[in-house]
């Protein structure tokens, strides 16, 4: 990233800033990660240790019991595979549809653009609610299909607006020269605009993927067939009980052990965190110069 | 990773403000071009009609006493009853005040912090360090509010929490931060910052990654310091993104989120913790009163639309790009 | 230019709406058999187990055989059950039989609009011997203004008790508390007299978590108030029903509670403690008294056993509800946890309804109850000579799943006929016996909520918010944020926010009965 040039023009003040900045951000990073480590430690600790030690980042005695009780069932494995596939396919579909719509909207001279943008903004602010959405999904025959897990929220108005704005900021010359060379708009999008927009596309791929991965409302409402359930739906039983009602407290069924709750958090988070570096790669690659050359 | 040589060799590609040059085109060519654009937009438009606008016929239950079994058509029409109930509610002024204060704190403190963090991250030169810190600051986004709130409880526990001890030591008090109404908003703000600042930088970092590196090179040659480069190159480059994010945020001003506030509220701080979203939960969702909660949602949406259009108009007046 | 700008989006809208109408025209009611015999029966039920049963579940297959119909269950995680119920009621392929968790607005309005079968007469006919309730007053309480829309899921009527650290009592040479005054004294001694003998001032008496419900949601405070004679949510005052918190006894009770708080005989985080961690201070030797359900005593004993199986029988004392200054009043539960209601859109004819009731009757036979609670006899469990349940180690997990899922369809209105596991030790047996004894004894002085069957319009819509007003005021009073005048003001606010309407509606229906 042209770092050699930077160093050549380094000043003392600049170096001081660098040191402070590194220290500051390392501190921020630690602050962000410590609670996660706490949850990780809790997921590996015995229930007795969790109830008797208030805060720890390393358990005295390591046990994988909490994980064993989540991971042991076949249903979990199936749900995991389902979720990975649905997230992958769903993200592609959602990102594709969003980019496809964002591109024409980035053309300021397009007739009707303003009207459509207003409709998009209104849809962003107002959502009709659960029951009407359920009825629509039902009418379209999507109940108990995997489509119901990503089609109903295929284009996030917020993402659409941001992506549209990114497209709008791209230099128009490249696109125009492509058009002059005889490319149609779809080809311009594919060969000129998308390669230039890798950082933003990677970002929204992550947004969409996390959205599908963490969603439990859609499977809850649209899937009554348990064999199609996703990971969050299975894990919900454990995570949701944090918001106890009076009846839950009085129930004969004791709340799930703390260790299992922690393990669930880890199991649900780690795959997304692991996927992240693959996307991060594209954040730097999207730079203008590289793209123009390539 | 482009080297200096690459940069020099690259053709000049300055990014001017996006004023599309209006060239002479024949009508036929323009229509051909629009045909493609409309065709590309079609799936998206169909999506919006199907999944965003079709369900909106359900919004009419705000004017009805909706019974799921009777259906939307079959339920009794009651006109503006739910709206008058909501606006004449004795708690309404308090709900509005609490909601606005929390939203304002988010907008004035958390939002700028996100930009600052993004800029600082951008200044990190060691790629490995930059990537690591980036990944670390995203992690809080993935922890649920339940986890965040229970951790807050641990840290501020009366008598045992490390932060309880430290803060009371500094102030020479024995405040219970978790129940003291004066501390409710600072705690909410603190949690919001911790959980969402890092994740929020993503969009700005994406914008920063698109900034033309050549401008930096030129600035360095001109002897511009780091601060000047940030002020004259980086900030202007991400200004459109900042403006858009700001506009979108104002539209969300009445949505404080439910889970965090619900989990942090208790009998002793409810006077400052009651917001529209928790109110709707107690009156609407928990009781299954859908008409009422839809009426509240509709009112909020109207305010949101007005705010978005208003700020967008303002942005345009100041020659910013706006969202449409 | 102007027309073209408008024309394009309009054209798009037109295309879109064509698609729309094409889609909406395509769907139809594919609901199953109209009239005729039922061959399959769809249930909807919450589950508590880690995962729901699979389609090929052994209990499911055995149930089909036992009931003679093809039973299909839609499982929903318990925490999300309410939401799912509301959405399902809005659709048109509603399950035939639904577990309804409570009399909330969507259920009551659906029932009153004719969405569920009124079972009152069918159940009273005696045609279904296993659906004749053991406790008719519980069936009454589960009704909507006297109309029975479902077969209730029976729960123990007396569950509240006082759980005390037995070893601390012994260290201090104290007796188990019997009255509310004793409670104050034990709480004082646990706080001030170093009950664990470690020479440090690091203990307190009562442990109370943040309570998520309103007044009358079986909180420790509600128990104390009932012991004082404030009634149970409502109190019959000369033929008229008044809310418990308007009685002088309630005031005395909250003053008693405030004394505990002011003296520091309670955990300092009583307003914020996460209820999921209620056991921890008791286990860690920080606090020594919990007022909650009896099953928590067994839970605590089990946790102590994990820690040290030799001394665990010295830690937990299960104590009866306390006598107040005005006599002995025992706080009962509602006696039910939701009910199984039969939908009219699923079950269309009276013939079919009778078939469904036959199936429910079968579920309540000893065979049915054991199948859905314990699993398959001789296969996943056996019964020993003394009539105790024996679950082989490799089936323990499966048995747990059955109990957390299929058992949710259990009603047991005519008595619980399931096999129980043999208590592992003498102490466990003692605890179990004591629970039974307290349950029998408590019935004599139980104070039932006189308004339980009554459904008031206003409390349907405002109830949650109203309940919060007084529950908050109570804690604010305990914390010293408000005084007696503040409590009066809260009651006034409650009245104005809809409370007066609730009182009127409840009394109108009470007199009419």
């Amino acid at each position: 990233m042209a770092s050699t040039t930077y160093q050549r023009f380094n000043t003392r003040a600049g170096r001081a800033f660098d040191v402070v900045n590194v220290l500051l951000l390392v501190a921020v990073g630690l602050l962000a990660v410590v609670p996660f480590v706490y949850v990780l430690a809790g997921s590996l600790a015995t229930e007795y240790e969790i109830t008797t030690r208030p805060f720890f980042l390393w358990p005295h005695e390591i046990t994988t019991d909490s994980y064993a009780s989540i991971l042991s069932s076949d249903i979990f494995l199936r749900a995991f595979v389902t979720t990975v596939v649905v997230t992958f396919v769903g993200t592609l579909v959602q990102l594709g549809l969003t980019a496809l719509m964002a591109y024409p909207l980035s053309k300021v001279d397009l007739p009707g653009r303003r009207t459509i943008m207003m409709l998009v903004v209104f849809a962003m602010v107002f959502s009709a609610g659960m029951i009407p959405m359920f009825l629509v999904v039902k009418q379209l025959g999507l109940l108990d299909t995997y489509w119901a897990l990503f089609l109903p929220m295929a284009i996030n108005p917020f993402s659409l607006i941001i992506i549209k704005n990114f497209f709008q900021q791209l230099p128009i010359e490249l696109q125009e020269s492509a058009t002059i060379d005889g490319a149609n708009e779809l080809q311009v999008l594919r060969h000129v605009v998308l390669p230039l927009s890798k950082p933003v596309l990677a970002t929204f791929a992550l947004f969409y993927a996390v959205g599908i991965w963490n969603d439990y409302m859609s499977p809850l409402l649209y899937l009554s067939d348990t064999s199609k359930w996703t990971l969050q739906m299975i894990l919900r039983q454990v995570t949701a009980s944090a918001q106890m009602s009076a009846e839950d407290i009085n129930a004969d069924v004791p709340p799930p052990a703390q260790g299992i709750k922690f393990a669930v958090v880890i199991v649900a988070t780690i795959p997304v965190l692991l996927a992240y570096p693959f996307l991060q790669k594209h954040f730097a690659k999207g730079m203008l110069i590289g793209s123009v050359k390539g | 990773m482009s080297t200096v040589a690459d940069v020099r060799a690259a053709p000049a590609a300055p990014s001017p403000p996006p004023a599309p040059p209006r060239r002479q085109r024949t009508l036929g060519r323009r229509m051909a071009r629009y045909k493609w654009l409309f065709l590309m937009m079609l799936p998206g438009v169909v999506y919006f009609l199907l999944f965003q606008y079709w369900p909106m016929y359900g919004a009419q239950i705000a004017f009805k006493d909706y019974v799921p079994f009777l259906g939307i058509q079959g339920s009794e029409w009651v006109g503006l009853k739910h709206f008058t109930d909501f606006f004449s509610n004795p708690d309404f002024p308090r709900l509005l005040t609490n909601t606005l204060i929390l939203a304002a704190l988010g907008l004035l403190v958390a939002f700028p912090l996100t930009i600052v963090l993004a800029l600082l991250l951008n200044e990190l030169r060691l790629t490995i360090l930059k990537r690591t810190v980036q990944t670390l600051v995203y992690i809080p986004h993935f922890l649920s509010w339940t986890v965040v709130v229970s951790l807050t409880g641990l840290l501020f526990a009366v008598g045992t929490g490390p932060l309880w001890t430290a803060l009371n030591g500094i102030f020479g008090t024995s405040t219970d931060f978790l129940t003291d109404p004066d501390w409710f908003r600072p705690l909410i703000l603190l949690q919001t910052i911790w959980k969402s600042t890092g994740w929020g930088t993503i969009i700005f970092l994406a914008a920063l990654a698109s900034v033309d590196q050549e401008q930096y090179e030129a600035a360095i040659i001109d002897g511009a310091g780091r601060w000047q480069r940030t002020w004259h190159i980086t900030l202007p480059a991400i200004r459109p993104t900042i403006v858009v994010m700001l506009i979108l945020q104002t539209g969300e001003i009445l949505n404080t989120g439910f889970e965090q506030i619900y989990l942090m509220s208790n009998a002793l701080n409810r006077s400052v913790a009651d917001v529209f979203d928790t109110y709707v939960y107690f009156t609407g969702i928990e009781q299954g009163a859908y008409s009422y909660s839809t009426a509240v949602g509709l009112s909020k949406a109207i305010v949101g639309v007005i705010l978005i259009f208003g700020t967008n108009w303002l942005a345009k007046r100041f020659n910013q790009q706006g969202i449409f | 230019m102007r027309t073209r700008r408008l024309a394009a989006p309009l054209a798009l809208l037109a295309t879109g709406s064509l698609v729309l109408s094409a889609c909406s025209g395509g769907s139809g009611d594919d609901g199953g058999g109209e009239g005729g015999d039922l061959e399959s029966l769809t249930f909807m039920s919450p589950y508590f187990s880690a995962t729901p049963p699979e389609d090929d579940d052994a209990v499911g297959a055995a149930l089909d055989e036992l009931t003679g119909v093809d039973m299909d269950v839609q499982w929903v995680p318990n925490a999300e059950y309410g939401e799912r119920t509301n959405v399902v009621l809005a659709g048109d392929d509603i399950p035939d039989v639904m577990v309804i968790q409570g009399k909330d607005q969507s259920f009551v309005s659906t029932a009153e609009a004719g969405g569920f079968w009124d079972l009152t007469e069918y159940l009273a006919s005696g045609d279904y011997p296993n659906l004749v309730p053991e406790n008719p007053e519980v069936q009454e309480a589960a009704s909507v203004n006297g109309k029975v829309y479902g077969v209730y899921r029976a729960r123990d009527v007396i569950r509240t008790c006082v759980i005390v650290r037995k070893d601390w009592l012994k260290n201090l040479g104290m007796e188990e508390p019997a009255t509310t005054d004793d409670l104050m004294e034990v709480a004082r001694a646990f706080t001030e007299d170093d009950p664990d003998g470690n020479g440090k001032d690091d203990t307190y008496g009562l442990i109370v978590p943040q309570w998520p419900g309103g007044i009358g949601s079986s909180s420790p405070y509600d128990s104390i108030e009932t012991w004082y004679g404030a009634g149970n949510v409502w109190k019959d005052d000369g033929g008229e029903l008044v809310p418990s918190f308007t009685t002088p006894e309630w005031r005395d009770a909250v003053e008693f509670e405030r004394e505990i708080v002011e003296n520091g005989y309670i955990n300092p985080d009583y307003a914020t403690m996460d209820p999921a961690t209620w056991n921890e201070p008791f286990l860690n030797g920080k606090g020594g008294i919990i007022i909650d359900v009896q099953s928590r005593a067994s839970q605590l004993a089990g946790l102590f056993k994990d820690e040290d199986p030799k001394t665990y029988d010295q830690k937990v004392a299960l104590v009866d509800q306390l006598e107040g200054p005005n006599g002995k009043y025992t706080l009962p539960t509602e006696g039910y946890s939701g009910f199984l209601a039969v939908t009219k859109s699923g079950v269309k004819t009276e013939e079919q309804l009778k078939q469904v009731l036959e199936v429910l009757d079968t579920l309540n036979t000893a065979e049915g109850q054991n199948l859905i609670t314990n699993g398959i006899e001789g296969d996943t469990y056996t019964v020993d000579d003394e009539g105790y349940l024996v679950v082989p180690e490799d089936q323990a997990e499966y048995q747990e799943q059955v109990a957390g899922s299929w058992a949710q369809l259990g009603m047991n209105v005519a008595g619980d006929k399931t096999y129980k596991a043999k208590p592992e030790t003498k102490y466990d047996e003692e605890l179990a016996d004591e629970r039974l004894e307290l349950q029998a004894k408590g019935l004599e002085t139980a104070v039932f909520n006189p308004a339980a069957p009554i459904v008031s319009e206003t409390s349907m819509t405002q109830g949650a918010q109203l309940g919060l007003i007084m529950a908050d005021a109570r804690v604010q009073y305990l914390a010293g944020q408000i005084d007696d005048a503040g409590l009066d003001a809260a009651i006034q606010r409650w009245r104005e926010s809809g409370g007066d309407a609730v009182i009127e509606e409840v009394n109108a229906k009470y007199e009419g009965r």
Side-chain angles (χ1 to χ4, degrees):
Chain A
M1 251 169 274
S3 49
T4 45
T5 324
Y6 282 135
Q7 271 154 21
R8 212 179 301 158
F9 292 88
N10 225 340
T11 61
R12 196 180 302 163
R15 252 195 307 271
F17 171 84
D18 275 335
V19 172
V20 172
N21 192 26
V22 166
L23 289 179
L24 183 74
L25 287 177
V26 167
V28 168
L30 286 180
L31 210 61
V33 81
V34 160
F36 188 75
V37 176
Y38 162 75
V39 173
L40 188 65
S43 71
L44 290 168
T46 60
E47 197 58 19
Y48 181 69
E49 186 169 355
I50 296 170
T51 47
T52 47
R53 274 178 82 190
F55 187 90
F56 57 92
L57 298 177
W58 190 256
H60 289 323
E61 186 189 336
I62 291 183
T63 162
T64 51
D65 286 358
S66 299
Y67 289 96
S69 69
I70 308 174
L71 304 177
S72 61
S73 62
D74 299 342
I75 200 167
F76 176 89
L77 200 70
R78 193 177 59 205
F80 187 86
V81 173
T82 304
T83 315
V84 169
V85 173
V86 167
T87 303
F88 186 77
V89 175
T91 305
L92 282 184
V93 170
Q94 294 183 337
L95 197 63
L97 282 174
T98 310
L100 211 52
M101 186 173 186
Y103 179 67
L105 287 174
S106 73
K107 303 291 173 196
V108 279
D109 59 330
L110 187 76
R113 173 178 170 274
R114 219 180 127 76
T115 317
I116 292 179
M117 281 312 294
M118 282 188 186
L119 289 175
V120 167
V121 169
F122 186 75
M124 178 178 72
V125 184
F126 183 71
S127 71
M130 213 159 70
I131 291 180
M133 196 66 177
F134 171 80
L135 295 175
V136 166
V137 171
K138 185 175 145 55
Q139 297 244 293
L140 294 174
L142 299 179
L143 283 191
D144 269 325
T145 67
Y146 293 121
W147 296 98
L149 300 182
F150 56 86
L151 266 195
M153 57 251 173
I155 303 183
N156 180 301
F158 169 85
S159 311
L160 178 69
I161 293 170
I162 306 267
I163 295 181
K164 180 219 92 174
N165 273 47
F166 266 91
F167 288 171
Q168 215 162 316
Q169 286 169 52
L170 294 174
I172 200 86
E173 286 79 6
L174 290 170
Q175 300 171 43
E176 297 210 323
S177 62
T179 322
I180 290 164
D181 289 347
N184 66 38
E185 293 289 347
L186 193 62
Q187 288 163 329
V188 174
L189 175 65
R190 250 192 76 190
H191 299 297
V192 181
V193 175
L194 290 187
L196 285 173
S197 311
K198 270 190 187 162
V200 74
L201 292 177
T203 302
F204 283 96
L206 189 60
F207 277 18
Y208 277 136
V210 169
I212 301 176
W213 183 271
N214 284 340
D215 184 23
Y216 69 90
M217 262 332 238
S218 302
L220 172 73
L221 298 180
Y222 307 139
L223 304 183
S224 45
D225 181 355
T226 45
S227 65
K228 291 200 172 78
W229 279 4
T230 57
L231 192 60
Q232 294 294 339
M233 190 68 182
I234 304 284
L235 299 181
R236 194 69 193 157
Q237 187 72 293
V238 178
T239 47
S241 57
Q243 285 175 32
M244 292 178 106
S245 69
E247 296 89 61
D248 293 335
I249 302 174
N250 287 334
D252 283 319
V253 190
Q258 295 285 331
I260 292 183
K261 286 189 198 172
F262 289 145
V264 161
V265 172
I266 300 294
V267 166
T269 317
I270 290 285
V272 186
L273 289 180
L274 289 182
Y276 174 71
F278 294 99
L279 288 167
Q280 195 181 32
K281 213 167 50 181
H282 297 286
F283 284 17
K285 269 196 188 165
M287 271 180 308
L288 204 49
I289 306 147
S291 312
V292 173
K293 273 200 76 188
Chain B
M1 227 46 36
S2 50
T3 65
V4 181
D6 284 339
V7 173
R8 297 259 161 83
S15 63
R22 288 210 161 260
R23 290 186 193 159
Q24 286 291 327
R25 286 201 196 93
T26 64
L27 189 68
R29 280 196 68 171
R30 266 177 60 183
M31 287 321 287
R33 185 169 155 258
Y34 289 154
K35 187 190 75 188
W36 269 106
L37 291 176
F38 283 134
L39 217 58
M40 288 162 78
M41 202 156 57
L42 190 65
V45 171
V46 170
Y47 161 79
F48 269 89
L49 292 174
L50 278 184
F51 289 106
Q52 301 273 0
Y53 278 86
W54 186 9
M56 278 191 204
Y57 79 99
Q60 58 179 288
I61 67 173
F63 307 96
K64 293 187 161 193
D65 263 340
Y66 175 59
V67 178
F69 174 70
L70 295 178
I72 292 172
Q73 297 308 326
S75 298
E76 191 194 346
W77 182 269
V78 294
L80 292 174
K81 179 180 150 230
H82 299 299
F83 291 89
T84 42
D85 278 0
F86 176 52
F87 290 114
S88 64
N89 184 302
D91 293 330
F92 182 80
R94 194 167 52 107
L95 296 172
L96 184 65
T97 319
N98 289 341
T99 306
L100 288 181
I101 292 178
L102 284 177
L105 284 175
L107 216 54
L108 296 176
V109 183
F111 183 69
L113 272 182
T114 311
I115 300 169
V116 171
L117 183 61
L119 291 177
L120 290 179
L121 275 170
N122 196 49
E123 292 296 322
L124 277 188
R125 297 194 209 146
L126 254 170
T127 311
I128 176 90
L129 186 66
K130 184 174 173 179
R131 287 196 177 177
T132 313
V133 175
Q134 264 184 38
T135 311
L136 292 188
V137 295
Y138 295 156
I139 289 179
H141 174 79
F142 297 101
L143 295 181
S144 66
W145 280 120
T146 323
V147 175
V148 177
V149 170
S150 65
L151 268 163
T152 312
L154 270 180
L155 294 174
F156 287 94
V158 178
T160 54
L163 284 180
W164 181 87
T165 321
L167 285 176
N168 279 316
I170 295 168
F171 296 123
T173 50
S174 58
T175 315
D176 179 359
F177 301 100
L178 298 173
T179 58
D180 189 336
D182 291 341
W183 277 93
F184 178 76
R185 286 168 188 144
L187 282 184
I188 291 283
L189 183 63
L190 217 65
Q191 289 178 332
T192 309
I193 290 173
W194 182 79
K195 186 159 150 62
S196 57
T197 308
W199 182 249
T201 58
I202 282 196
I203 287 180
F204 296 111
L205 287 172
L208 286 169
S210 307
V211 174
D212 176 10
Q213 293 300 310
E214 190 162 294
Q215 293 188 41
Y216 288 114
E217 305 297 333
I220 290 169
I221 293 164
D222 290 348
R226 197 191 308 243
W227 173 246
Q228 283 167 313
R229 295 199 300 267
T230 305
W231 191 250
H232 294 292
I233 302 172
T234 315
L235 270 179
I238 63 167
R239 193 167 54 204
T241 312
I242 296 178
V243 172
V244 169
M245 293 298 289
L246 205 57
I247 294 172
L248 296 180
Q249 286 246 319
T250 51
E252 296 285 309
I253 214 160
L254 295 180
N255 301 329
T256 45
F258 159 73
E259 211 180 356
Q260 177 195 15
I261 294 182
Y262 172 75
L263 291 172
M264 283 297 287
S265 64
N266 52 58
L268 300 178
N269 65 15
R270 189 110 46 212
S271 57
V272 292
D274 256 349
V275 292
F276 288 131
D277 289 343
T278 53
Y279 176 78
V280 166
Y281 175 80
F282 282 117
T283 50
I285 319 283
E286 193 159 74
Q287 307 244 46
Y290 282 100
S291 290
Y292 193 74
S293 43
T294 308
V296 177
L298 204 55
S299 314
K300 279 168 53 180
I302 290 167
V303 175
V305 168
I306 292 172
L307 283 173
I308 287 195
F309 281 64
T311 42
N312 191 54
W313 177 79
L314 266 179
K316 293 240 154 148
R317 283 218 50 186
F318 287 97
N319 287 322
Q320 297 298 326
Q321 195 180 1
I323 51 173
F324 49 79
Chain C
M1 188 64 205
R2 188 155 193 89
T3 43
R4 198 175 315 126
R5 283 187 94 152
L6 271 176
L10 279 181
L12 275 173
L13 278 169
T15 4
S17 48
L18 273 177
V19 177
L20 261 183
S21 50
C23 291
S24 54
S27 81
D29 187 5
D30 53 343
E34 313 281 315
D37 267 8
L38 279 176
E39 277 163 11
S40 68
L41 199 53
T42 315
F43 286 72
M44 185 167 114
S45 168
Y47 68 89
F48 287 87
S49 47
T51 53
E54 296 270 358
D55 289 341
D56 56 355
D57 188 80
V59 169
L63 264 181
D64 290 351
E65 201 171 311
L66 180 70
T67 57
V69 290
D70 183 11
M71 273 178 65
D72 178 33
V73 184
Q74 295 179 7
W75 298 106
V76 182
N78 180 58
E80 315 298 335
Y81 194 74
E83 234 146 359
R84 171 84 193 175
T85 306
N86 285 322
V87 169
V88 163
L89 286 177
D92 51 13
D93 47 1
I94 306 180
D96 304 314
V97 182
M98 290 172 80
V99 172
I100 297 292
Q101 289 187 313
K103 292 186 273 183
D104 71 352
Q105 194 181 9
S106 61
F107 167 72
V108 173
S109 57
T110 304
E112 287 180 339
F116 293 104
W117 286 90
D118 179 353
L119 304 178
T120 319
E121 282 177 18
Y122 297 97
L123 294 180
S125 69
D127 291 347
Y128 314 98
N130 294 304
L131 298 180
V132 176
E134 217 178 7
N135 298 310
E137 60 273 24
V138 174
Q139 177 161 306
E140 179 76 11
S143 73
V144 176
N145 300 319
K147 283 189 177 172
V148 181
Y149 285 109
V151 183
Y152 70 90
R153 302 191 299 168
R155 295 294 182 267
D156 292 338
V157 176
I158 303 296
R159 299 184 65 199
T160 301
C161 69
V162 184
I163 305 164
V164 188
R165 275 293 288 248
K166 204 174 177 178
D167 51 339
W168 287 10
L169 283 176
K170 198 175 157 212
N171 289 351
L172 297 170
M174 295 180 88
E175 292 288 310
E176 291 179 358
T179 68
T180 47
D181 287 342
D182 293 350
L183 177 69
M184 182 70 81
E185 178 53 22
V186 172
R188 187 205 59 76
F190 279 6
T191 311
E192 294 172 354
D193 297 350
D194 193 18
D196 54 3
N198 67 354
K200 284 190 227 147
D201 179 18
D202 58 356
T203 56
Y204 47 80
L206 203 57
I207 313 165
V208 178
Q210 174 178 15
W211 203 261
I215 297 279
S217 55
S218 302
S219 69
Y221 306 121
D222 292 317
S223 305
I224 294 176
E225 287 145 19
T226 295
W227 298 341
Y228 261 74
N232 179 357
V233 193
W234 292 87
K235 189 177 181 181
D236 187 329
D237 185 17
E240 193 193 347
L241 290 186
V242 295
S244 61
F245 52 81
T246 59
T247 62
E249 290 88 352
W250 191 82
R251 281 298 173 95
D252 293 342
V254 287
E255 212 185 303
F256 171 85
E257 290 158 18
R258 188 170 65 170
E259 206 181 319
I260 292 181
V261 174
E262 275 176 349
N263 292 331
Y265 302 162
I266 194 170
N267 50 317
D269 56 351
Y270 65 95
T272 54
M273 188 179 120
D274 178 3
T277 62
W278 202 354
N279 292 337
E280 292 178 15
F282 197 91
L283 290 175
N284 299 342
K286 285 189 195 149
I289 309 167
I290 287 179
I291 302 173
D292 193 39
V293 291
Q294 295 156 351
S295 53
R296 189 175 293 278
S298 317
Q299 234 180 72
L300 283 165
L303 289 167
F304 275 117
K305 196 187 210 165
D306 293 343
E307 190 189 334
D308 183 1
K310 280 188 202 111
T311 60
Y312 87 103
D313 56 345
Q314 300 303 313
K315 304 280 191 181
V316 184
L318 176 64
V319 181
D320 190 13
Q321 297 193 35
L322 306 174
E323 187 176 336
N326 305 312
K328 174 90 187 204
Y329 302 100
T330 303
L331 178 69
T333 65
E334 290 179 311
Y336 71 99
S337 166
F339 29 82
L340 272 70
V342 187
T343 63
K344 277 202 177 156
S345 42
V347 178
K348 297 230 159 55
T349 65
E350 201 177 341
E351 288 311 305
Q352 291 181 340
L353 173 68
K354 287 182 176 165
Q355 260 185 292
V356 172
L357 290 173
E358 289 288 349
V359 171
L360 296 186
D361 191 76
T362 311
L363 287 180
N364 271 302
T365 57
E367 198 184 352
Q369 285 187 13
N370 273 306
L371 178 58
I372 59 178
T373 314
N374 292 327
I376 296 167
E377 187 168 353
D379 196 355
T380 69
Y381 77 91
T382 51
V383 182
D384 71 7
D385 303 340
E386 296 169 274
Y388 281 119
L389 171 76
V390 180
V391 180
E393 190 137 349
D394 61 336
Q395 292 296 336
E397 208 170 308
Y398 182 70
Q399 203 269 339
E400 210 169 281
Q401 192 196 37
V402 171
S405 55
W406 292 105
Q408 295 306 311
L409 294 174
M411 294 148 281
N412 306 357
V413 286
D416 183 350
K417 295 155 200 155
T418 57
Y419 303 114
K420 302 274 185 277
K422 185 181 166 82
E424 280 177 34
T425 64
K426 195 157 167 294
Y427 175 69
D428 291 343
E429 197 174 349
E430 275 170 29
L431 268 187
D433 289 347
E434 197 166 355
R435 280 174 69 172
L436 290 177
E437 190 189 320
L438 294 186
Q439 285 170 13
K441 203 170 81 176
L443 278 176
E444 292 161 22
T445 49
V447 184
F448 289 97
N449 175 4
I454 299 175
V455 171
S456 122
E457 292 278 312
T458 311
S459 76
M460 275 287 98
T461 53
Q462 309 282 324
Q465 191 75 3
L466 282 175
L468 214 55
I469 293 178
M470 287 317 296
D472 280 358
R474 175 163 63 191
V475 175
Q476 286 160 9
Y477 181 79
L478 300 187
Q481 265 190 6
I482 59 171
D483 55 8
D484 275 290
L487 272 186
D488 289 333
I491 292 176
Q492 196 55 35
R493 198 174 135 227
W494 180 85
R495 286 181 180 280
E496 281 163 9
S497 309
D500 273 334
V502 174
I503 295 181
E504 204 174 298
E505 288 161 13
V506 165
N507 274 296
K509 284 182 175 138
Y510 189 60
E511 278 162 28
R513 299 173 66 79

